Amino acid sequence: MPTTPDERLRRYLEQIVPQPTLGQMLEEQPDHESVPAVPTAPRAQVRQARTAVEKLAVGRELTPAERFTLEAIVLPDQRPAIDIVDGDFAVDHPLWSHFAGQAIRAVLRRVITSIGRIELPGHPTLPYGGTGFVVGPGLLMTNRHVAEIFAAGLGAAGLSFRPGLSAGVDFRRERGRDGSLFLAVRQVVMIHPYWDMALLRVDGLTAMQAPIPLSLRSPEELAGRDVAVIGYPAFDPRNDAEVQHTVFGGVYNVKRLQPGKLTGSGLIASFGKSVTAALHDSSTLGGNSGSAVIDVATGHVAAVHFAGHYLVTNYAVPARELSRDARVVDAGVVFAAVPRPEPEVWADWWDIADPREVATTTTTAAPSRDRVTLQPDGAASTTVITVPLEISVRIGTAAPVAPPPGAVAAGAVVDGALERAVEPTHDLDYSSRRGYDPDFLGVAVPLPKPTKPKTLARLDDGDHVIAYHHFSLAMHKSRRLAIFTACNLDASPQRKRPEPGRDYTRKGLGGLGGNDTERWFTDPRIPQIHQLPDRFFARDQGAFDRGHLVRREDVAWGTTYDQVRTANGDSFHTTNCSPQVAGFNRSDGAVNWGALEDVVQRQAGKDRLSIMAGPVLAAGDRVFTGVDDTGDVQVQIPSEYWKVVLAADGDRLQAFAFVLEQDLADVPLEFAVDAPWRQHMIAIRELEAKLGTLRFPKAMHDADQSGTELGEAVRASAALDLVAS
C-alpha cells in the first residue's frame, strides 16, 4: 500500500485516469464552462495541477496546495457524486454521460426507489447509521457495523434491539426535498458472523420498493464493469475537507449516485479476520456504509459497500459470496439466478454465533423458503419431513466444529480444559495501599494538580487521589476514565524477582490457569457510575483493547513474592483501564507506547523511574455506545494519550514527555475507531497547554529534556517526531 500522500495520489490517478488522458483533461479543463456539473477551475489552478502531474511523474514531492488542486480538479470530474432528486438524476459529466442513456437510466431509476437511509430515531449522537436496500419481501440489507449501532447479538438467533434504541429506513432524504418515506425496522433478522452484512425486517413496503436481485457473478468476472454506488454519504473528518466540499458540493446526508468501476478483489481486515472483498473506485464517504454497488448493465447488486481507503480503493461484500450461505438464501434474499449454497461455508463462524443450531440444507435447484431447524437431544433418531418431497434425515450427536483461529465460543473447552474469565489475585484490604511515592527518585516529584477538581470522583474521605500498590490515579467522574496516573518503577532484578524459583509469569502472578483469561474488576471505594465495568470491554464487539494506563510490568515489583503479586493484581482495576485500539500497548517488534519506559531506562541508565500518564480528554472525542452493568451507555473514546517518564541523575531530575495520537488517514472502516498510532515527543509546557486539565509541578518543567542532547538521544532511539511549539 502507498506510504506517502503523494504516492497514494499518484497510484490512484493512474488507476482512474491514464496519464495521457489526464494531461488532455487538464489542457481542456478551462473549456468546461458548458458542463455545469464539473467545477470550472481558474487558469492558475489548472497550471498548478499540470505542474503537480509533471512532478508526480518524476517522483518530486508536491506542495499541499498542488496536492489539493489536483485532487479538487480530478475527483469531481472522474468520480463525481450525482444528486438524486425525485427518484431521478441528471448526468452532465462527460466521462459518465452514457449513464443518461435510456437503458442505464431505466435500470438505475428502477433500483433508486428501493434504497434508503438507515434512521436512528432518538439516538443521542448519530443522526443516521448508513444505507440499506430492499433484497426480499419485507427484507433490508445493510452492513453489520451499521446494525450493531442499534442491535445486539450475532448470527440469526437471539438478536435484539439495544435498550432504548430503535431503527427505521427512509427511502427519500433527497437534496432540496423535505418529503420523507419512513418505515420502522420491526426485527433484526441476521447479523452475519463472517461478512459485514446484516438483514432487517420492515413492514409496509410497496411495489415501488421492489427487491434488488443480488448477482451471482464474482468480482473477478465483473472487473472493469461500470457500477453505481447509491447511498447517503456523510462528511468524513478523516479526509481533506475542501476536496470533499468540492466533490459533494458541501452537501451531505442526502441520496447520491456515485459512479465508478469494479476493480477486482483484495484482502481487508474485518471483525478480527481477513476477508477477500470486492474492490471499487467510486467516491464514497462514511454514510455510504451498506450502500448497494449496482452493476449498471443489469441492475443487480454486485456487492455491498462497507469500507474505503481515501485515494486508494473501496471495499464491498461480494454478492456472490452471500449466495453461498444457505442461511442468507433461506432468509428470503432474492438473487439474480438460482443460488447454490454450500452446506459448510463459514460453518465455524456460524457455530460460534448460533452454537445450538443445526441447519439442514438441500442441494436442489430451488431451495425452499420454509426453514426447518432440528434440535437433537443427543440420541440418534430418524425424522421424515414432507415439504412436499419426502426427505429422510438421520440425526445423531452433533460432531464438534473447530472454531476459526483465535476464536473461542463461550464456555468452550480448550486443550481439554475449560476457559474461564478470572479476576487476577489481588489484595482485598484496601487500607494497605500506599500509592505513588513522590520521593521515590530521591528528588521530590509531586502529583499534578487538576484545574477542575469538581469533575473528579472522590473517596469517602473526600480525597480525589486513589492509591494502589506502587501507583495512584484520579478519575474523571463523568468520562469514567482516569484523568492521570502516576507510578513508581523499580526494574532491578532483586525487586522484579525477589524470591527465585517462584512463578513470575503473568498467569502465575494472577493465579490463572493455562486457559483462563483476565476479568478486570471495579474499585469499591468510589461510586460504580464513576468507573467502567469489565462488561463494557467484554461486550464492545472487539472494538477496543483493555488498555493498561499503568503498565502491569511497571508496578509488579517488591521485596517479596506476595508484594509483586498484589501489585500485579492492582493493575487490573478498571480504573486503570482505558479503551484503546489494538496496538496501543501490544508489542509488535517495534518501539510501542508501552516500551517508552524501556527506551528512557536504557538512555538514562537507571533502574528506577517514575511515570505519569493518561488520556487526552477532548470535548470532541467520538462517542461509542456500549454496555455497562445497568444497560446501554455512551462513552467518549480518547484519540490521544500522554506519558511523562521521569528519571534522576544524582539530585538532578530528568523528564521526557510524549503524546500518542491516532493517524486516521488510512482507516479502512467507515464509522470505525481502529487506527494506527503515531508517537511524538513534546515539551512539558506544550503538553500542559494541550491537556488544559492538569498543572504539572515546577520540578517537571525545570527537568524537561525536549530539545536537549539526552532528549534527542531518546527521541532517535524510539524513532519519534518532535512536536514543534
Side-chain angles (χ1 to χ4, degrees):
M1 183 174 292
T3 56
T4 68
D6 287 356
E7 186 179 356
R8 184 164 57 222
L9 177 59
R10 178 182 62 79
R11 293 193 184 183
Y12 185 72
L13 292 177
E14 289 175 351
Q15 174 183 310
I16 67 172
V17 191
Q19 288 303 305
T21 305
L22 177 61
Q24 293 168 9
M25 186 191 80
L26 293 176
E27 292 291 345
E28 298 166 358
Q29 209 275 341
D31 297 328
H32 280 176
E33 286 87 349
S34 61
V35 186
V38 180
T40 301
R43 291 183 180 275
Q45 283 194 356
V46 175
R47 287 194 297 270
Q48 191 173 53
R50 193 178 301 122
T51 299
V53 171
E54 294 169 354
K55 290 172 70 173
L56 283 178
V58 296
R60 292 173 57 194
E61 184 177 357
L62 303 185
T63 67
E66 289 169 340
R67 190 179 303 115
F68 163 74
T69 300
L70 188 55
E71 291 179 26
I73 289 178
V74 173
L75 291 185
D77 184 76
Q78 299 292 307
R79 295 297 182 268
I82 300 168
D83 290 330
I84 293 175
V85 180
D86 297 329
D88 203 352
F89 62 95
V91 182
D92 295 313
H93 299 75
L95 183 64
W96 302 102
S97 59
H98 58 292
F99 273 41
Q102 184 175 357
I104 293 180
R105 188 177 180 195
V107 163
L108 293 177
R109 289 182 64 187
R110 188 167 61 247
V111 302
I112 282 171
T113 56
S114 298
I115 298 170
R117 200 174 84 169
I118 301 298
E119 302 291 314
L120 303 172
H123 194 283
T125 58
L126 296 176
Y128 70 104
T131 302
F133 54 98
V134 181
V135 293
L139 203 61
L140 287 179
M141 183 173 287
T142 187
N143 284 151
R144 168 179 165 177
H145 74 264
V146 171
E148 286 183 341
I149 297 172
F150 56 85
L154 189 65
L159 303 178
S160 63
F161 287 94
R162 295 184 182 275
L165 295 182
S166 62
V169 59
D170 193 326
F171 290 100
R172 297 228 174 103
R173 295 289 184 176
E174 297 173 346
R175 183 173 185 174
R177 296 292 186 268
D178 295 329
S180 174
L181 182 54
F182 177 88
L183 299 176
V185 172
R186 178 170 59 84
Q187 177 190 4
V188 182
V189 176
M190 177 185 295
I191 297 181
H192 204 282
Y194 186 85
W195 290 107
D196 194 346
M197 187 278 288
L199 296 175
L200 311 174
R201 182 78 62 198
V202 294
D203 291 333
L205 294 175
T206 69
M208 290 294 293
Q209 293 89 41
I212 311 174
L214 272 64
S215 175
L216 296 187
R217 301 185 67 182
S218 70
E220 288 73 22
E221 292 179 89
L222 297 174
R225 298 282 285 267
D226 287 344
V227 294
V229 175
I230 301 176
Y232 295 81
F235 176 77
D236 194 329
R238 297 167 297 183
N239 302 336
D240 188 289
E242 291 302 320
V243 173
Q244 285 185 79
H245 291 334
T246 302
V247 175
F248 293 90
V251 178
Y252 306 94
N253 310 337
V254 295
K255 188 179 282 191
R256 284 321 217 316
L257 185 154
Q258 296 142 279
K261 290 184 179 292
L262 281 173
T263 58
S265 61
L267 294 174
I268 182 176
S270 177
F271 291 99
K273 72 189 90 63
S274 182
V275 302
T276 301
L279 306 180
H280 70 90
D281 61 12
S282 300
S283 292
T284 60
L285 294 175
N288 275 119
S289 293
S291 293
V293 182
I294 302 293
D295 178 355
V296 301
T298 62
H300 300 156
V301 177
V304 187
H305 174 83
F306 70 88
H309 269 130
Y310 179 59
L311 294 184
V312 179
T313 192
N314 298 300
Y315 302 89
V317 178
R320 174 184 170 85
E321 293 300 300
L322 298 178
S323 75
R324 299 172 59 205
D325 194 329
R327 293 169 178 82
V328 175
V329 174
D330 291 347
V333 174
V334 174
F335 290 87
V338 177
R340 298 187 179 276
E342 303 168 25
E344 296 302 316
V345 69
W346 305 304
D348 296 345
W349 296 94
W350 276 106
D351 186 62
I352 292 172
D354 297 333
R356 291 178 295 176
E357 180 185 80
V358 179
T360 61
T361 62
T362 69
T363 57
T364 57
S368 169
R369 290 289 186 264
D370 296 325
R371 182 174 179 175
V372 180
T373 301
L374 305 176
Q375 301 288 348
D377 60 5
S381 62
T382 300
T383 302
V384 177
I385 310 168
T386 303
V387 288
L389 297 176
E390 186 177 90
I391 306 172
S392 293
V393 182
R394 179 172 178 80
I395 299 179
T397 55
V401 180
V408 180
V413 175
V414 182
D415 295 334
L418 182 67
E419 182 188 67
R420 305 170 302 158
V422 178
E423 291 184 3
T425 301
H426 57 285
D427 188 357
L428 298 178
D429 179 8
Y430 284 89
S431 66
S432 64
R433 270 72 166 179
R434 296 292 177 263
Y436 168 81
D437 180 0
D439 298 314
F440 181 73
L441 299 177
V443 181
V445 187
L447 290 172
K449 293 183 178 180
T451 58
K452 298 178 180 179
K454 290 184 179 180
T455 64
L456 304 183
R458 300 281 171 171
L459 299 167
D460 288 343
D461 63 3
D463 197 351
H464 68 267
V465 177
I466 307 170
Y468 299 95
H469 291 296
H470 304 320
F471 70 99
S472 299
L473 55 81
M475 293 292 292
H476 193 290
K477 59 186 179 183
S478 63
R479 294 290 296 264
R480 304 175 76 172
L481 301 172
I483 191 172
F484 74 81
T485 65
C487 77
N488 305 123
L489 162 64
D490 190 332
S492 61
Q494 61 269 30
R495 291 291 185 267
K496 298 298 287 184
R497 294 174 176 266
E499 298 179 28
R502 304 295 295 269
D503 187 353
Y504 291 94
T505 65
R506 181 167 179 157
K507 288 185 180 292
L509 290 172
L512 276 64
N515 293 299
D516 293 342
T517 58
E518 292 140 343
R519 183 171 71 239
W520 293 52
F521 41 91
T522 55
D523 191 322
R525 295 173 292 175
I526 61 173
Q528 297 296 296
I529 60 171
H530 295 166
Q531 52 190 318
L532 291 171
D534 183 75
R535 189 180 187 211
F536 175 84
F537 301 93
R539 296 287 300 277
D540 67 355
Q541 303 295 334
F544 308 108
D545 279 348
R546 293 175 177 88
H548 278 84
L549 288 173
V550 174
R551 276 204 314 176
R552 182 191 67 84
E553 298 92 331
D554 289 353
V555 294
W557 58 270
T559 57
T560 67
Y561 182 78
D562 285 344
Q563 286 182 4
V564 178
R565 167 171 268 193
T566 53
N568 174 84
D570 263 6
S571 73
F572 289 95
H573 281 86
T574 58
T575 50
N576 184 42
C577 189
S578 186
Q580 299 159 354
V581 300
F584 182 81
N585 265 340
R586 296 180 188 172
S587 177
D588 57 4
V591 176
N592 72 336
W593 181 244
L596 288 174
E597 292 96 311
D598 303 335
V599 175
V600 173
Q601 191 177 341
R602 287 197 305 269
Q603 293 296 329
K606 305 297 179 184
D607 285 336
R608 286 192 158 209
L609 300 173
S610 290
I611 302 117
M612 298 183 186
V616 179
L617 300 180
D621 286 337
R622 293 185 179 182
V623 175
F624 176 81
T625 300
V627 179
D628 66 7
D629 290 336
T630 61
D632 276 17
V633 62
Q634 282 77 44
V635 176
Q636 286 183 276
I637 305 300
S639 62
E640 293 182 285
Y641 288 80
W642 61 272
K643 179 178 288 189
V644 181
V645 183
L646 299 142
D649 183 10
D651 60 356
R652 190 169 67 90
L653 186 66
Q654 300 165 335
F656 306 84
F658 310 91
V659 290
L660 188 70
E661 60 180 294
Q662 292 189 81
D663 180 0
L664 298 174
D666 288 325
V667 178
L669 290 180
E670 292 161 353
F671 292 134
V673 181
D674 195 13
W677 293 94
R678 184 170 59 235
Q679 298 170 358
H680 299 290
M681 197 168 190
I682 189 172
I684 298 286
R685 68 178 184 281
E686 297 293 334
L687 175 59
E688 190 175 82
K690 183 181 187 68
L691 295 175
T693 55
L694 296 172
R695 292 290 179 264
F696 294 108
K698 183 177 183 298
M700 288 176 58
H701 284 277
D702 293 342
D704 189 1
Q705 298 298 303
S706 64
T708 68
E709 184 176 345
L710 181 57
E712 285 299 300
V714 168
R715 189 170 69 85
S717 178
L720 305 177
D721 298 324
L722 179 64
V723 177
S725 59

